[in-house]
Amino acid sequence: MAEHMDPEEFRRAGYAVVDWIADYWTTLGQRPVTSQDPPGTVAAALSAGPTAHGEPIEAVLADLDRVVTPGLTHWQHPGFFGYFPANTSGPSVLGDLVSAGLGVQGMLWATGPACTELETVMLDWLAELLDLPQRFRSTGRGGGVIQDSASSATLVALLVALHRASGGRWRETGVDRRYRAYTSTQGHSSIEKAARIAGLGSDGVRPVEVDPRTQAMRPEELRAAIEADRAAGVVPAIVVATVGTTSTTAIDPLPEIGAICAEYGIWLHVDAAYAGAAAVCPELRWTHDGLEHADSYCFDPHKWLLTGFDCDAFWVADAGELIEALTVLPEYLRNAASESGAVIDYRDWQVPLGRRFRALKLWFVLRWYGVEGLRAHIRSGVALADRFAERIEADDRFELTAAHPFSLVCFRLRAADEVSAELLRRVNATGRVHLTHTRVDGRYSLRLAVGSPLTTEKHVDEAWDLLAATATDVLTG
Amino acid sequence: MAEHMDPEEFRRAGYAVVDWIADYWTTLGQRPVTSQDPPGTVAAALSAGPTAHGEPIEAVLADLDRVVTPGLTHWQHPGFFGYFPANTSGPSVLGDLVSAGLGVQGMLWATGPACTELETVMLDWLAELLDLPQRFRSTGRGGGVIQDSASSATLVALLVALHRASGGRWRETGVDRRYRAYTSTQGHSSIEKAARIAGLGSDGVRPVEVDPRTQAMRPEELRAAIEADRAAGVVPAIVVATVGTTSTTAIDPLPEIGAICAEYGIWLHVDAAYAGAAAVCPELRWTHDGLEHADSYCFDPHKWLLTGFDCDAFWVADAGELIEALTVLPEYLRNAASESGAVIDYRDWQVPLGRRFRALKLWFVLRWYGVEGLRAHIRSGVALADRFAERIEADDRFELTAAHPFSLVCFRLRAADEVSAELLRRVNATGRVHLTHTRVDGRYSLRLAVGSPLTTEKHVDEAWDLLAATATDVLTG
Ligand SMILES: Cc1ncc(COP(=O)(O)O)c(C=O)c1O
Ligand SMILES: Cc1ncc(COP(=O)(O)O)c(C=O)c1O
């Protein structure tokens, strides 16, 4: 008989791992945010192959401390300001732990009824929390699902849009390369990737010019592109508008874009991967104006809503179309519940077959924080970003390069691009903060995104002090 | 300032959740395997929306017991014999807990060097554990990556195959609908789904006949299909061979299929989603004979290797081709390490951008069990399946409908299909076991798949006793 870890041993080892995490969070602020070790350091410190006989968890935890954590970039660190946050929280970790312990598979309703139903209800809760249009609620023809990422959500939206554009032939006979996807030049790289995966190729995406001041899509440019393409025999299948672009959190004008999509019968997908979470606050809901025109919408609770990766929330206005596009039903998955038509089988809403019970972490987060707790978190991120932006504006050597409606601030030195790049390199090399960069209208910009629950005014002020002092160094040589 | 769960509160609540899981595992065998509640029961028991103010974890755990667990199908239950197992283990849960606590994003090497390097090393360890061909090791041009599922692995293999078949044009100009994918009639439904997603449509998959005795692909049928298609202007792009088909665990003849793929220059992907784990045992490695011909290979540690979903292990013989097909590089993801060419950025190996630190659970499992511990688990599953199959063979009312090289047994009553279907309904309705069904060569068959670490001889014998007694009822009434 095989030996497994029995419940009592799990209890003991489980406490040890919980302690390990609590200690990690307690000491996180004292670690360097990123490792400065060269590539291969971690791999070289691991043994060459698996051992014949098992070892206790304590031995693994010791190597975790010795080899793994020193080699990480710490995304939950209070000095982590890179990319967009991928924040998590105690309740999320605990919900996910329950999911791991249950080890259920939610591919079909029948393989885990509660797994499916809790997910449907959580997506309705989220829709209420963000005040999303009624059309996305499961009470009508719409509904929500958890995808692993915004990338996958965009891919799924594209697939259904292609199915619709083809009059239902796509699913059997394949994609027509005359179809095209539209997004602004600031649309996320996952849109080009989705187009490739779906067989349109990178050429299947038409980038639409933005207003250089706002970095938002120019609706008249969208219309012009559609008209020109149609005249050339191209079939516009989908527009992906962004609320909160990756570079600068620009907001595409949904009302105008929605009207154009309606006019030409084009699928509108709204990608609010990072910024969607802002809509939990009534005072930030203007960022979603016009969303009622969208056929699909997604945002990532795993970015700014305290829910660990992976958790993208994706809604469609017409679930039937989505299911029709993606369902494949072999004999071994047939079951009475699916055939009754009374249940949701989420495997038909996504690329993979299998599904983890991810609704649990959302449930834990929504209940532990409550609506007000989540609002406080978003407001704190916005306030910290405002505070940092004020410092930038008060120092003549710096300038903001974009508006900052959310918790991202883009800025640069009033100097050559290389000077800002050098500033970034030097502050990151201290290990005290981690920022990343982008280009805004061609010019190099630093990005400071606030999001870790551990980040407070003190950390933002320290980041500013470090930047200001380092600027003196790089500007003077 | 927003309120978050502090480390001490996390410690306390974390212990409570660990206790909850230990208790769940201890009492699992006494629960019904599946819920008998009608659709909507769980949703109706949840509150209508999120509450304004947060609640303690204890309140959520109470509702977990009241609403969620009674509404589940328990995949880790010792009486769960459905589908294929999706087993997990204590070490996997703990490794995943560490991952949740760290909350790092491994999309690029730079965003989590240890996250990337541990993954590369774990995939090399797994390759050694299964004695996979050298071409898949990261020491050469090949390498492995964790995908969420075998479905996604097959999709990625198809995409690179299309890229190769197009001479590198696929990535810019899109898919050519003359390309075709081949798999046996027993190939998994994810192959058709991948073909749809990739823009070939369901018609882009050509099902190849199997030998009715073995349910394995007939190489001469594959050759005939390829020849006929080529004559008709179709371009064969990929063959997906299966080691352990979903219905019956049939094994396609890789040496012959590999030779055909080599002859015609077709990508060979081997899908061993469930059965791949068997190769940890030297006496079962014959099931992988001919794998050296494959361009890509995948199996799911989340099925039969004690690692919780999601964890599919996917290897390619030429990583460069894969990266070329899928990479998209926007400014905001540029970094010195990527540009050095010395590191792996796993985002280019998969559909989503973001990545969870899934290598940790594999590391915990491989170290806690050791090679011998994992072998004991596989051997126990095979032995239990053999034991069950002996019972079937010893009872004249039953017959086996397929060979059982692994831990799945397919069988039926020697009676009309409806009688076997009724047998399945009745045994599942007891809540003591859960089996699923399939069709083998057109005839209805029950499937009993062993895989939960909790399942022992006692549970298999009880399942048999229940089936035998229920058979008496359905055959006489
Ligand atoms: C606007 C936008 N869309 C999509 C993505 C991709 O996110 P994911 O990792 O969830 O695919 C990002 C990531 O930063 C993003 O900013
Ligand atoms: C042979 C085979 N391939 C692929 C899959 C799909 O698995 P996943 O859920 O990992 O996509 C299965 C699932 O049972 C399978 O049996």
Side-chain angles (χ1 to χ4, degrees):
Chain A
M1 221 53 244
E3 293 285 342
H4 299 285
M5 184 183 277
D6 68 42
E8 292 319 309
E9 190 177 351
F10 174 78
R11 202 186 298 269
R12 198 189 44 73
Y15 287 4
V17 173
V18 166
D19 286 339
W20 188 92
I21 293 173
D23 295 343
Y24 173 76
W25 286 347
T26 308
T27 56
L28 193 45
Q30 284 107 62
R31 294 173 191 262
V33 191
T34 50
S35 156
Q36 306 291 340
D37 292 334
T41 306
V42 173
L46 294 164
S47 51
T51 51
H53 299 288
E55 296 168 79
I57 290 295
E58 284 65 28
V60 189
L61 290 179
D63 283 348
L64 186 63
D65 286 326
R66 184 180 61 85
V67 180
V68 176
T69 43
L72 283 175
T73 300
H74 299 282
W75 283 66
Q76 309 305 317
H77 193 290
F80 183 90
F81 300 109
Y83 309 98
F84 280 137
N87 63 30
T88 189
S89 64
S92 173
V93 172
L94 297 175
D96 210 25
L97 174 55
V98 173
S99 170
L102 289 171
V104 301
Q105 251 308 335
M107 57 188 180
L108 303 169
W109 179 87
T111 67
C115 179
T116 296
E117 295 190 17
L118 186 67
E119 184 160 332
T120 305
V121 172
M122 284 310 103
L123 276 278
D124 280 341
W125 282 22
L126 277 183
E128 188 179 324
L129 187 68
L130 272 66
D131 196 28
L132 298 184
Q134 280 299 329
R135 60 199 320 228
F136 293 134
R137 316 282 167 109
S138 73
T139 40
R141 288 168 59 199
V145 62
I146 299 176
Q147 302 279 349
D148 57 3
S149 62
S151 303
S152 297
T154 299
L155 173 61
V156 168
L158 172 60
L159 298 174
V160 199
L162 292 171
H163 185 57
R164 182 195 279 183
S166 75
R169 286 187 309 276
W170 166 87
R171 146 190 159 131
E172 307 305 331
T173 61
V175 78
D176 186 324
R177 285 196 283 181
R178 286 173 313 151
Y179 295 154
R180 194 151 298 173
Y182 299 77
T183 190
S184 89
T185 56
Q186 302 303 305
H188 189 259
S189 56
S190 55
I191 302 162
E192 180 180 340
K193 193 164 175 178
R196 255 192 228 167
I197 293 167
L200 294 178
S202 294
D203 296 350
V205 182
R206 161 82 94 138
V208 179
E209 284 306 319
V210 294
D211 180 329
R213 238 173 0 91
T214 61
Q215 297 288 305
M217 190 192 286
R218 294 177 54 189
E220 65 281 14
E221 291 288 335
L222 174 64
R223 179 185 294 278
I226 291 171
E227 290 281 0
D229 281 350
R230 279 165 52 110
V234 162
V235 183
I238 188 171
V239 173
V240 181
T242 312
V243 171
T245 58
T246 315
S247 261
T248 65
T249 63
I251 302 166
D252 288 340
L254 300 186
E256 290 82 351
I257 295 170
I260 295 172
C261 288
E263 185 180 332
Y264 294 97
I266 305 174
W267 185 287
L268 175 58
H269 173 64
V270 176
D271 174 6
Y274 152 73
V280 305
C281 297
E283 71 275 20
L284 287 167
R285 296 221 174 114
W286 61 269
T287 59
H288 285 57
D289 280 353
L291 187 58
E292 61 281 6
H293 299 293
D295 295 284
S296 55
Y297 168 79
C298 80
F299 92 101
D300 285 345
H302 69 229
K303 283 197 162 66
W304 196 19
L305 208 61
L306 300 161
T307 311
F309 189 89
D310 47 359
C311 186
D312 169 85
F314 173 65
W315 288 268
V316 286
D318 182 352
E321 225 173 348
L322 167 60
I323 294 164
E324 186 183 285
L326 292 184
T327 194
V328 182
L329 184 56
E331 183 66 30
Y332 45 80
L333 297 178
R334 282 187 193 277
N335 66 87
S338 298
E339 272 152 39
S340 76
V343 302
I344 292 178
D345 291 328
Y346 274 127
R347 69 179 188 110
D348 295 329
W349 296 51
Q350 62 172 20
V351 172
L353 170 61
R355 315 190 81 236
R356 187 178 160 80
F357 196 170
R358 290 174 295 202
L360 281 172
K361 60 188 174 190
L362 265 178
W363 192 43
F364 275 59
V365 167
L366 294 175
R367 291 191 62 178
W368 193 86
Y369 280 95
V371 176
E372 292 305 330
L374 295 171
R375 286 182 180 158
H377 169 64
I378 297 293
R379 285 174 184 144
S380 136
V382 173
L384 292 174
D386 287 347
R387 182 183 179 95
F388 180 78
E390 278 166 25
R391 300 287 186 282
I392 295 286
E393 288 191 291
D395 187 324
D396 278 348
R397 302 171 303 168
F398 287 88
E399 64 183 347
L400 295 176
T401 54
H404 51 93
F406 305 108
S407 75
L408 171 75
V409 181
C410 297
F411 61 98
R412 63 194 312 279
L413 284 169
R414 298 182 196 268
D417 283 355
E418 303 77 67
V419 185
S420 287
E422 179 60 19
L423 172 64
L424 179 65
R425 253 191 308 278
R426 291 210 199 164
V427 295
N428 281 352
T430 66
R432 286 161 52 201
V433 295
H434 189 71
L435 282 72
T436 54
H437 81 283
T438 189
R439 286 188 178 268
V440 184
D441 204 22
R443 304 289 306 267
Y444 190 97
S445 290
L446 282 75
R447 295 169 77 265
L448 180 137
V450 180
S452 165
L454 295 175
T455 304
T456 62
E457 291 185 351
K458 166 174 161 294
H459 302 101
V460 169
D461 291 349
E462 282 172 7
W464 166 250
D465 292 342
L466 178 63
L467 281 159
T470 313
T472 305
D473 294 347
V474 296
L475 286 169
T476 57
Chain B
M1 221 51 245
E3 292 285 344
H4 299 284
M5 185 182 278
D6 67 42
E8 292 319 308
E9 190 177 351
F10 174 79
R11 203 187 297 271
R12 199 190 44 73
Y15 287 4
V17 173
V18 166
D19 285 341
W20 187 93
I21 294 172
D23 295 344
Y24 173 76
W25 286 348
T26 308
T27 57
L28 192 47
Q30 283 107 62
R31 295 173 189 262
V33 191
T34 49
S35 156
Q36 307 291 338
D37 292 334
T41 307
V42 174
L46 294 164
S47 51
T51 51
H53 299 285
E55 297 168 78
I57 290 294
E58 285 64 28
V60 189
L61 290 178
D63 282 349
L64 185 65
D65 286 326
R66 185 180 62 84
V67 180
V68 177
T69 45
L72 282 175
T73 300
H74 300 282
W75 282 67
Q76 310 305 318
H77 193 291
F80 183 90
F81 300 110
Y83 309 97
F84 280 136
N87 63 31
T88 190
S89 63
S92 173
V93 172
L94 297 175
D96 210 25
L97 174 55
V98 172
S99 170
L102 288 172
V104 301
Q105 252 308 334
M107 57 189 182
L108 303 170
W109 179 88
T111 67
C115 180
T116 296
E117 295 190 17
L118 186 67
E119 184 160 332
T120 305
V121 172
M122 283 311 103
L123 275 278
D124 280 341
W125 282 22
L126 277 183
E128 188 180 322
L129 187 68
L130 271 66
D131 195 28
L132 298 184
Q134 280 300 329
R135 61 200 317 230
F136 293 134
R137 316 284 167 109
S138 74
T139 39
R141 288 169 58 199
V145 61
I146 299 176
Q147 302 278 350
D148 58 3
S149 64
S151 303
S152 297
T154 299
L155 172 60
V156 169
L158 171 60
L159 299 174
V160 198
L162 292 171
H163 185 58
R164 182 195 280 183
S166 74
R169 287 187 308 278
W170 167 88
R171 146 190 161 133
E172 307 306 331
T173 61
V175 77
D176 186 325
R177 285 197 283 182
R178 287 173 312 148
Y179 295 153
R180 194 149 299 171
Y182 299 77
T183 190
S184 90
T185 56
Q186 301 303 305
H188 189 259
S189 56
S190 54
I191 302 162
E192 181 180 339
K193 193 163 175 178
R196 255 192 228 168
I197 293 166
L200 294 177
S202 293
D203 296 349
V205 181
R206 160 81 94 137
V208 179
E209 285 305 319
V210 295
D211 180 329
R213 239 173 359 91
T214 60
Q215 297 288 306
M217 190 193 286
R218 293 177 55 189
E220 65 281 14
E221 292 287 335
L222 174 64
R223 179 184 295 277
I226 290 171
E227 290 282 358
D229 281 349
R230 279 166 51 112
V234 162
V235 183
I238 187 170
V239 174
V240 181
T242 312
V243 171
T245 59
T246 315
S247 260
T248 66
T249 63
I251 302 166
D252 288 340
L254 301 186
E256 290 82 352
I257 294 170
I260 293 171
C261 289
E263 185 180 332
Y264 294 97
I266 305 173
W267 185 288
L268 175 59
H269 173 63
V270 175
D271 173 6
Y274 152 72
V280 305
C281 297
E283 71 275 20
L284 287 166
R285 295 218 176 115
W286 61 268
T287 59
H288 284 58
D289 280 353
L291 187 58
E292 61 282 5
H293 299 293
D295 295 285
S296 55
Y297 169 80
C298 79
F299 91 102
D300 285 347
H302 69 230
K303 283 197 163 65
W304 196 18
L305 208 61
L306 301 162
T307 311
F309 190 88
D310 47 359
C311 187
D312 169 85
F314 174 64
W315 287 268
V316 286
D318 182 351
E321 226 173 348
L322 167 60
I323 294 164
E324 185 182 284
L326 292 183
T327 196
V328 182
L329 184 57
E331 183 66 29
Y332 45 78
L333 296 179
R334 282 187 193 277
N335 65 87
S338 297
E339 273 153 38
S340 77
V343 302
I344 293 178
D345 291 329
Y346 274 126
R347 70 179 188 110
D348 295 329
W349 298 51
Q350 62 172 21
V351 172
L353 170 61
R355 316 189 82 233
R356 187 178 161 77
F357 196 171
R358 290 174 296 202
L360 280 172
K361 59 188 172 191
L362 266 178
W363 191 43
F364 275 60
V365 167
L366 293 176
R367 291 192 60 178
W368 192 86
Y369 279 96
V371 176
E372 292 305 329
L374 296 171
R375 286 182 181 159
H377 170 64
I378 297 294
R379 284 175 186 144
S380 138
V382 173
L384 292 173
D386 286 346
R387 182 181 178 97
F388 180 78
E390 277 166 27
R391 300 286 187 282
I392 295 285
E393 287 192 292
D395 188 325
D396 278 348
R397 302 171 303 168
F398 287 88
E399 63 182 348
L400 295 176
T401 54
H404 51 92
F406 305 109
S407 75
L408 170 75
V409 182
C410 297
F411 61 99
R412 62 195 313 277
L413 285 168
R414 296 181 197 269
D417 282 355
E418 303 77 66
V419 187
S420 288
E422 180 60 19
L423 173 64
L424 178 66
R425 256 192 305 279
R426 291 211 199 163
V427 296
N428 280 352
T430 65
R432 286 162 52 202
V433 296
H434 190 71
L435 281 72
T436 54
H437 81 284
T438 189
R439 287 190 177 267
V440 184
D441 204 22
R443 303 289 307 269
Y444 189 98
S445 290
L446 282 76
R447 297 168 77 266
L448 180 137
V450 180
S452 165
L454 295 174
T455 305
T456 62
E457 291 185 350
K458 167 175 161 293
H459 302 101
V460 169
D461 291 349
E462 282 172 7
W464 166 249
D465 292 342
L466 177 63
L467 281 158
T470 313
T472 304
D473 293 348
V474 296
L475 286 168
T476 59

